[in-house]
Amino acid sequence: MAQNLVHKILASHLVSGKLRAGEEIAIRIDQTLTQDATGTMAYLQFEAMGIPKVRTKVSVSYIDHNMLQTGFENADDHRFLQDSAARFGAYFSRPGNGICHQVHLERFSTPGETLLGSDSHTPTCGGAGMLAIGAGGLDVAVAMGGGPFHLKMPKVLGVRLEGQLQPWVSAKDIILELLRRLTVKGGIGKVVEYHGPGVAALSVPDRSTITNMGAELGATTSVFPSDERTKAYLTAQGRSADFHPLSADAGATYDELVVIDLDTLEPMVARPSSPDNVVPVSSVAGLPVAQVCVGSCTNSSYTDLKTVAEVLKGKTIAPGLSMTVTPGSKQVYEMIAQDGTLADYIAAGARILESACGPCIGMGQAPPTDGISVRTFNRNFSGRSGTPDDKVYLCSPAVAAAAALTGTLTDPRTLGIPPPKVTLPTRYLTHDNLLIPPPAGGDVEIHRGPNIKPVPVAPELPRRIEGAVLLKVGDNITTDHILPAGSKILPLRSNIPAISEYTFTRVDPDFPARARSAGGGFVIGGDNYGQGSSREHAAMAPMFLGVRAIITTGYARIHHDNLVNFGILPLRFSNAADLATIDQGDVLRIGDVVALLRADGGVVENLTKGTRCRVSLALSERQKEILLHGGLLNLTRSQQPRAGAAA
Ligand code: MIC
Ligand code: SF4
């Protein structure tokens, strides 16, 4: 039978299960990546498993998020990660080498292989034909140890690209259009596979912009075929040996199909404060802009930066705004420095930042009060920029350039200048001196700063859970709401007791104190609970504060699995209308937790209101076992006598 590309890659990596949508499967993982904000926990967990060396083909530890060193914490984490990479046999990408996804695409992406990364934008490498999935750090640690990755077999959503992009319209507009149509929930339980005649004109960096932001659809991952474009990219990276062609069989089918006519697309923006709040930029043209930021793992390739520079060359950015530029990698940075593009930026008045996540994760460059910030990034969740009630618009490099020039939101087609002509390099500058390969031996001492605290282990699963509803929230709550990032909180990623004091503080500053004094309890939410980041801290911190169960009408994939791994019950209302019957402060009781788990659901009593409602669980047998043991670390310990010795 004709197979689509997703099924082909999954079939060649299948360890257990059947490729039937909804069933749990396990797949072999070829490569892993971690970054510094999730990596310390992942490596502490790997160490606790007692496995001497990583067992993947390639594992890379990147430093890119926690780059502001306003105290010793981040620098200590960097040193811990460098020592750990050397000890356990991983590559170490030094600070300055760039954003994990951009560097991984350039130097490691391999068509047909699998990649598991402790960052939700790991699907970036899908632009080069990889099946690249984001997960919590503990799942990545298991994969580093050679264990398979478990996931619910996703549906395959085929996106057929027809026609051709018009001048000033770019890959970013394709994914914004998809977000407009499908919303931030539209990709849940699905892998997006791009195909059709419109694919051939898109370069690998263009494709990676699209697969990167597939994370905002809630998709498990997104993938493009590996074709002549992929070959050209890998060859230009000096890696032609890693190329092989890969595509869906003729006549392959998809569970769902979406068709996009590229000819009809126009430049778009995602308005505040959700990536699916998408409109044509022409409909908001004229709004004054206070900040323009170019960069992030979505749009920081060499061609993206050249596109913006072409527009700004010889001009000065509008007087009322501040502009920042973050090259995605050292490769991009060196290349724009050598060909003079950097000088054009400096002359135009842009502020040049180091190659890292930077403003995307609130590490500096918070926009002014009430000022519109126009960013080529992928997320505009409220407050993520560091300014409460921020107004962040997401867009393509071309739209960002137009805003920088005019000082207002502007459709670049109205600029009255020819569209930038940017050609793809036939040879990228490959100077891997900041990428340290795993050393031969490995008897390396691991330095741990005082901010690095052991991984907390969930308590045993109680037979009965009784407690108050500590918080009730609405739909689409992000992990940035649950456990914010930013320059103040990110340095605490290796210290769960300290970081847990920020749990839900964006929503309710009193949450941590209330949870602690109540000795734990429940959280109630709406649909797509936990969308966004892969940070397992958004499960660990509530667990640390005593949250034992969450009841919602639906979950985002990575967060759901992180909750299970850290021993929190991810319950769903069987009848969505019951959500309205529970208020914050109500006392709830689950009489027999084990019975509820075994039966995939049961009854929750509301002792305050004297009512009851039915809840269900969408768990595999393996996940039930994890919860019965009080979390994956407990389960792993019970299976391996040595596990935990080093934690
Ligand atoms: C993000 O974009 O939110 C992050 C920071 O890259 C996260 C990872 C993290 O929270 O460390 C992600 O997307 O997974
Ligand atoms: Fe970094 Fe932003 Fe990409 Fe997350 S989305 S990996 S913070 S650049």
Side-chain angles (χ1 to χ4, degrees):
M1 209 182 97
Q3 270 188 316
N4 58 43
L5 176 55
V6 173
H7 282 204
K8 276 190 188 177
I9 304 180
L10 286 175
S12 64
H13 288 79
L14 199 62
V15 174
S16 67
K18 296 226 164 56
L19 300 185
R20 274 199 297 259
E23 278 191 27
E24 185 169 86
I25 57 169
I27 56 170
R28 186 167 40 77
I29 295 299
D30 299 315
Q31 304 188 8
T32 66
L33 71 78
T34 53
Q35 38 87 341
D36 48 347
T38 55
T40 31
M41 280 297 149
Y43 274 91
L44 285 169
Q45 291 169 140
F46 182 77
E47 189 179 37
M49 288 172 196
I51 299 170
K53 291 274 176 202
V54 299
R55 293 177 182 150
T56 48
K57 287 188 188 168
V58 169
S59 286
V60 191
S61 174
Y62 291 94
I63 306 292
D64 53 3
H65 284 64
N66 276 349
M67 300 281 280
L68 271 186
Q69 292 166 217
T70 50
F72 60 89
E73 294 87 350
N74 292 340
D76 282 1
D77 283 359
H78 298 173
R79 196 169 50 177
F80 167 82
L81 287 168
Q82 181 159 6
D83 293 345
S84 299
R87 161 86 76 89
F88 298 120
Y91 281 86
F92 181 69
S93 177
R94 295 172 63 180
N97 200 39
I99 306 174
C100 54
H101 310 302
Q102 176 67 26
V103 178
H104 211 86
L105 180 73
E106 293 167 357
R107 309 309 301 145
F108 296 103
S109 60
T110 308
E113 291 203 347
T114 53
L115 166 68
L116 195 72
S118 62
D119 191 284
S120 63
H121 290 103
T122 302
T124 310
C125 283
M130 277 194 113
L131 201 80
I133 303 177
L138 184 48
D139 285 336
V140 176
V142 169
M144 292 195 305
F149 176 62
H150 295 86
L151 74 162
K152 214 175 249 172
M153 176 61 197
K155 288 186 179 167
V156 184
L157 165 64
V159 174
R160 185 177 161 81
L161 301 180
E162 293 181 348
Q164 207 186 332
L165 289 173
Q166 296 302 302
W168 294 103
V169 186
S170 70
K172 184 65 159 280
D173 299 306
I174 301 178
I175 187 65
L176 288 175
E177 167 65 9
L178 215 48
L179 277 154
R180 187 186 71 78
R181 292 198 207 173
L182 303 180
T183 81
V184 291
K185 298 188 277 197
I188 295 179
K190 298 172 196 168
V191 175
V192 186
E193 178 174 325
Y194 291 86
H195 64 282
V199 164
L202 298 173
S203 68
V204 166
D206 286 342
R207 296 174 184 183
S208 298
T209 292
I210 296 171
T211 56
N212 170 285
M213 216 174 160
E216 277 52 65
L217 291 167
T220 304
T221 186
S222 305
V223 65
F224 273 84
S226 169
D227 57 10
E228 286 304 308
R229 287 289 189 149
T230 324
K231 185 176 179 182
Y233 180 75
L234 290 175
T235 305
Q237 289 286 351
R239 297 203 291 124
S240 54
D242 289 336
F243 171 74
H244 64 270
L246 196 62
S247 60
D249 294 333
T253 55
Y254 298 96
D255 297 301
E256 290 171 27
L257 187 67
V258 168
V259 179
I260 298 186
D261 181 0
L262 301 180
D263 289 286
T264 62
L265 291 188
E266 50 181 307
M268 315 272 213
V269 285
R271 290 183 298 175
S273 289
S274 180
D276 60 1
N277 195 5
V278 174
V279 294
V281 64
S282 56
S283 72
V284 288
L287 289 176
V289 172
Q291 184 187 47
V292 175
C293 299
V294 175
S296 94
C297 55
T298 321
N299 276 122
S300 58
S301 66
Y302 175 75
T303 34
D304 287 337
L305 265 58
K306 286 289 283 184
T307 301
V308 179
E310 283 285 304
V311 177
L312 296 183
K313 194 172 178 160
K315 307 186 178 98
T316 303
I317 58 168
L321 59 78
S322 164
M323 179 181 189
T324 68
V325 178
T326 6
S329 66
K330 172 173 159 288
Q331 178 182 85
V332 174
Y333 219 150
E334 272 191 280
M335 286 176 70
I336 62 165
Q338 290 190 0
D339 71 10
T341 307
L342 185 57
D344 294 337
Y345 272 123
I346 296 170
R351 298 164 66 182
I352 315 297
L353 307 181
E354 64 180 328
S355 182
C357 298
C360 178
I361 193 59
M363 277 299 207
Q365 307 301 330
T369 308
D370 291 331
I372 288 182
S373 176
V374 170
R375 300 176 165 210
T376 65
F377 304 172
N378 49 37
R379 288 186 175 145
N380 58 351
F381 303 143
S382 171
R384 180 174 160 103
S385 68
T387 299
D389 302 322
D390 53 8
K391 296 190 173 63
V392 176
Y393 286 67
L394 306 173
C395 66
S396 67
V399 171
L405 208 55
T406 61
T408 59
L409 276 162
T410 301
D411 184 333
R413 296 172 301 180
T414 63
L415 285 176
I417 56 173
K421 277 204 176 48
V422 177
T423 46
L424 283 163
T426 48
R427 187 80 183 124
Y428 287 93
L429 202 153
T430 49
H431 185 204
D432 289 330
N433 58 329
L434 292 192
L435 202 50
I436 304 180
D443 204 14
V444 178
E445 189 195 345
I446 299 181
H447 295 87
R448 276 162 237 263
N451 186 48
I452 300 179
K453 299 280 187 260
V455 183
V457 177
E460 292 294 298
L461 184 76
R463 288 207 68 84
R464 198 171 99 129
I465 302 178
E466 186 172 319
V469 174
L470 299 167
L471 186 70
K472 182 172 176 182
V473 290
D475 286 345
N476 294 322
I477 282 294
T478 72
T479 47
D480 278 296
H481 291 108
I482 304 171
L483 208 276
S487 55
K488 187 168 148 206
I489 307 175
L490 267 173
L492 303 175
R493 284 290 182 92
S494 316
N495 185 340
I496 299 299
I499 208 169
S500 64
E501 290 304 313
Y502 294 93
T503 313
F504 278 119
T505 47
R506 281 256 169 82
V507 183
D508 178 349
D510 300 330
F511 179 85
R514 190 160 64 245
R516 252 186 292 106
S517 76
F522 291 79
V523 171
I524 306 292
D527 216 2
N528 197 23
Y529 180 86
Q531 70 160 325
S533 154
S534 68
R535 62 191 73 145
E536 55 194 350
H537 304 73
M540 281 181 181
M543 177 272 278
F544 189 80
L545 293 176
V547 174
R548 298 314 308 259
I550 298 191
I551 318 178
T552 72
T553 49
Y555 293 88
R557 174 187 61 90
I558 305 178
H559 188 60
H560 176 269
D561 293 352
N562 284 339
L563 290 172
V564 173
N565 284 350
F566 289 95
I568 298 180
L569 294 177
L571 302 167
R572 294 160 199 260
F573 288 102
S574 306
N575 176 359
D578 286 333
L579 173 61
T581 68
I582 300 181
D583 293 310
Q584 194 162 309
D586 287 359
V587 176
L588 307 184
R589 178 165 68 200
I590 300 173
D592 187 340
V593 178
V594 176
L596 178 131
L597 262 179
R598 296 256 183 250
D600 295 315
V603 165
V604 175
E605 296 166 83
N606 186 331
L607 304 182
T608 308
K609 301 257 165 64
T611 54
R612 299 150 70 86
C613 68
R614 281 205 68 82
V615 295
S616 63
L617 284 151
L619 301 175
S620 65
E621 290 306 314
R622 185 189 59 89
Q623 289 182 310
K624 287 184 203 169
E625 254 342 274
I626 293 175
L627 280 169
L628 286 169
H629 281 82
L632 185 54
L633 279 178
N634 287 337
L635 178 64
T636 316
R637 283 174 185 209
S638 73
Q639 291 168 340
Q640 291 188 18
R642 285 190 53 212

